[in-house]
Amino acid sequence: MPASSGNGAVTRSTLRQQIADALRDEVLAGRLQPGQEFTVKEIAEQYGVSATPVREALVDLSAQGLLEADQHRGFRVHEYSLADFRGMIEARGLVTDGMFHGLAKGLPTAPEGSVGGSTGGSAGHSTGGGTGRSAGHRTGGSAGGITSTAGGFAADSPGPRGFFVRAGDPRAAAALAGVRRRGEEARRAATAGELNILIGYDLRFWRELGALFGNPYLTDFLHRLRVQSWVCAVQHLSRIGDLRGRLWSDHTEVVDALTRRDLADAHRIVDTYDMHSLALIEGLANLDAENTVLTSDDDKLDNELDDKRENKEKEYEGKRGTAE
């Protein structure tokens, strides 16, 4: 049964969603560990509510991939593997690429010979990456017949259906400023190594940024991927005593690149983020595996020493009995 986070009983206005949110927070905070089991009755008693909204909330979290249902034992927290994390990183990168790629639709073709009009992109923007995404989406050059300009969007470009319909729209600037404030909070939390605070602001940052692109299906899918990737990462990150300087903190740089309409730089920043996340969690997972092996070897050695000690004691008792 999950330990109470001290928030008190849940009010009855939107029980299903509140219970789901509360339990999701427990998983993200690492208070509900992978593989931990609990029942509908236990959760209902913890929050002082009936079983129906609890069961509905748990079913919702199961559909989101955070829990697993067991007909005989109730529910348990899903255990993600390192391979799962790699897949999440690749998937969320592809979704982000799709959003950024949508910004290039309707852009005027760059004049021949202009900076950024070539398919190679700028020298400072890497076309490589650990996530296997299309280089054409990251270089600021031609990709599928769409060519971006060096300066980004023209003031009268049609753009996609999101907030970038017109580059000069004041609503776009206001919306980006709000997202940037979320990014500043996320950066401060990451720099300070405050994991729980970072997760909250990071999820809000990407959800609000995604919402600006005008496609709720992509926004919801990206949010789900990001929640799952954080759940997978937390089990490794929570074992580190001091996270200062180890967490990605370039949220504001993404917003600044989009504000400049510099899609190539936005892609580069996100690719760097994905590679950083993958390298960090892979390193921690491998270290955990090594520690598990060492612990198993230590336990084996301790057992062997115990067996030898016990045999020696039996041998001593036998000799003493013969002497008597």
Side-chain angles (χ1 to χ4, degrees):
M1 176 178 177
S4 174
S5 58
N7 294 329
V10 181
T11 60
R12 296 182 177 274
S13 57
T14 55
L15 281 176
R16 176 178 185 165
Q17 187 60 51
Q18 288 188 51
I19 293 169
D21 290 345
L23 290 175
R24 186 186 300 108
D25 289 344
E26 294 291 309
V27 175
L28 285 169
R31 290 186 288 268
L32 274 175
Q33 293 290 318
Q36 187 170 342
E37 299 177 351
F38 48 85
T39 65
V40 171
K41 181 180 179 181
E42 289 173 337
I43 300 299
E45 290 177 350
Q46 176 180 331
Y47 291 115
V49 298
S50 64
T52 299
V54 170
R55 186 176 293 106
E56 292 172 344
L58 295 179
V59 169
D60 290 344
L61 292 178
S62 297
Q64 295 170 25
L66 302 187
L67 302 180
E68 295 177 3
D70 189 317
Q71 292 182 346
H72 304 290
R73 297 185 179 181
F75 294 81
R76 64 175 173 269
V77 181
H78 184 75
E79 297 183 70
Y80 288 110
S81 66
L82 187 56
D84 290 329
F85 188 72
R86 294 191 188 102
M88 294 171 195
I89 294 294
E90 181 178 12
R92 80 185 193 190
L94 289 170
V95 174
T96 305
D97 272 0
M99 288 180 171
F100 290 175
H101 185 63
L103 299 182
K105 291 183 179 179
L107 289 181
T109 302
E112 186 174 351
S114 66
V115 179
S118 66
T119 58
S122 65
H125 296 156
S126 171
T127 60
T131 55
R133 300 202 289 280
S134 170
H137 287 181
R138 293 191 297 269
T139 59
S142 175
I146 297 172
T147 306
S148 64
T149 64
F153 281 72
D156 59 349
S157 65
R161 58 184 169 180
F163 76 102
F164 278 110
V165 171
R166 296 185 67 86
D169 189 342
R171 294 173 299 175
L176 273 176
V179 176
R180 196 181 194 283
R181 286 193 292 272
R182 302 278 184 248
E184 290 170 351
E185 295 293 343
R187 181 183 61 189
R188 280 193 282 269
T191 302
E194 297 172 336
L195 183 59
N196 290 345
I197 297 175
L198 168 62
I199 292 173
Y201 277 114
D202 180 82
L203 291 175
R204 291 184 66 180
F205 172 84
W206 287 102
R207 190 172 187 87
E208 292 178 14
L209 180 62
L212 299 180
F213 291 86
N215 189 323
Y217 297 99
L218 278 177
T219 301
D220 289 345
F221 184 51
L222 179 60
H223 180 70
R224 179 176 298 190
L225 282 171
R226 298 200 66 82
V227 169
Q228 291 175 343
S229 60
W230 271 121
V231 169
C232 185
V234 161
Q235 61 182 307
H236 302 290
L237 294 174
S238 60
R239 298 190 179 103
I240 303 177
D242 190 353
L243 286 168
R244 285 177 295 182
R246 306 193 67 169
L247 302 169
W248 187 80
S249 59
D250 290 342
H251 297 76
T252 54
E253 280 76 1
V254 175
V255 179
D256 292 343
L258 293 176
T259 301
R260 298 191 307 269
R261 304 305 196 265
D262 191 342
L263 303 183
D265 201 32
H267 282 302
R268 178 191 62 78
I269 295 168
V270 174
D271 277 347
T272 301
Y273 179 21
D274 290 342
M275 288 186 287
H276 173 275
S277 300
L278 191 57
L280 177 61
I281 300 305
E282 282 184 336
L284 293 175
N286 291 334
L287 183 61
D288 289 341
E290 291 175 3
N291 290 337
T292 299
V293 171
L294 291 174
T295 301
S296 299
D297 289 343
D298 288 343
D299 290 342
K300 182 179 179 181
L301 179 60
D302 289 341
N303 291 334
E304 291 177 352
L305 291 175
D306 289 340
D307 289 341
K308 289 181 179 180
R309 190 180 299 109
E310 185 176 340
N311 291 335
K312 285 289 185 180
E313 291 175 352
K314 289 181 179 179
E315 182 180 347
Y316 173 76
E317 291 293 334
K319 290 181 178 179
R320 188 175 67 176
T322 302
E324 291 175 352

